[in-house]
Amino acid sequence: MVITLLIVDDHPVVRDGLRGMFGADPRFEVLGEAADGAEAVTAAERLRPDVVLMDLRMPRTDGVTAIRELARRGLPTRVLVLTTYDTDSDVVPALEAGATGYLLKDTPREELFHAVEAAAQGRPVLSPAITARLIGQVRRPAPAALSARELEILELIAKGTTNREAARQLFISEATVKTHLLHLYAKLQATDRASAVAAGFSQGYLTP
């Protein structure tokens, strides 16, 4: 069966290159193009391609938003991300939104073809670099939990309390407060009070 495609990228040169590459292979048929996520959703709903090749960082509507909207509408189209970005802030949201695969734009031609075929069948596809990154995250030991005393100090510094005031309120020495601060900085992977408070909120130790 011929696999139908929709190419989504904000750069016309990239779209032209992909259209020429896939159009020259009888296994594929390019049904259309889109320059941003909003156009991609409209085109996917109209054309019903087997696979959408989706860039992520685009003006107006980004790729992750488009992937979420395609999933919300229940379209059977598979989305294969094709981008230059491999950071956690790009990879994880795209996969969580419903992307079937994630490849980088330096992927060789035949590997890209095989990836599109796999995506059309619903099989997950990840570039080697992305796979290594995700495995590294899984294998990374979980950070140690804050002790009750460290949590008390974190809550106090979130309120703007100084070390001296914290020591007075907790009936401990100022030196002990500093020691606890160093420990919670290490556990939260923070470098100062502001980043510790931010990490405390993001990791659920603090609530607004």
Side-chain angles (χ1 to χ4, degrees):
M1 292 179 60
V2 175
I3 296 173
T4 57
L5 295 168
L6 173 65
I7 297 170
V8 184
D9 198 290
D10 60 325
H11 294 98
V13 172
V14 175
R15 297 198 304 272
D16 289 345
L18 289 171
R19 175 181 279 276
M21 187 169 66
F22 282 99
D25 192 299
R27 292 173 292 177
F28 309 100
E29 179 186 357
V30 179
L31 298 181
E33 302 176 9
D36 63 45
E39 289 183 13
V41 172
T42 301
E45 197 160 39
R46 175 171 52 87
L47 300 171
R48 300 292 173 126
D50 297 316
V51 177
V52 175
L53 284 176
M54 181 79 73
D55 192 15
L56 287 185
R57 301 189 188 182
M58 297 177 288
R60 201 158 69 112
T61 304
D62 62 82
V64 171
T65 301
I67 296 169
R68 288 199 190 101
E69 182 60 20
L70 289 171
R72 189 188 70 79
R73 298 190 184 196
L75 297 180
T77 298
R78 308 290 184 177
V79 178
L80 180 58
V81 172
L82 185 63
T83 184
T84 57
Y85 305 102
D86 65 349
T87 62
D88 294 349
S89 60
D90 292 299
V91 177
V92 175
L95 296 177
E96 289 179 341
T100 300
Y102 196 111
L103 294 179
L104 301 179
K105 287 182 178 176
D106 60 359
T107 301
R109 177 193 302 252
E110 283 304 317
E111 287 185 22
L112 179 55
F113 287 170
H114 291 320
V116 170
E117 290 175 322
Q121 297 169 16
R123 291 186 281 125
V125 183
L126 295 175
S127 72
I130 302 302
T131 301
R133 179 186 295 277
L134 295 178
I135 290 175
Q137 287 182 341
V138 172
R139 290 178 175 173
R140 189 180 303 151
L146 298 186
S147 68
R149 179 64 83 191
E150 290 163 353
L151 183 56
E152 286 179 323
I153 291 173
L154 179 62
E155 290 171 342
L156 287 174
I157 66 172
K159 298 175 182 177
T161 307
T162 65
N163 289 353
R164 181 173 297 179
E165 291 169 340
R168 187 173 65 252
Q169 290 185 42
L170 298 175
F171 303 101
I172 57 178
S173 69
E174 192 172 344
T176 301
V177 171
K178 291 179 180 178
T179 299
H180 285 307
L181 273 175
L182 291 176
H183 289 165
L184 70 88
Y185 284 173
K187 291 180 179 179
L188 297 175
Q189 297 183 342
T191 56
D192 54 27
R193 284 170 166 255
S195 59
V197 171
F201 280 112
S202 66
Q203 296 182 31
Y205 289 111
L206 298 173
T207 55

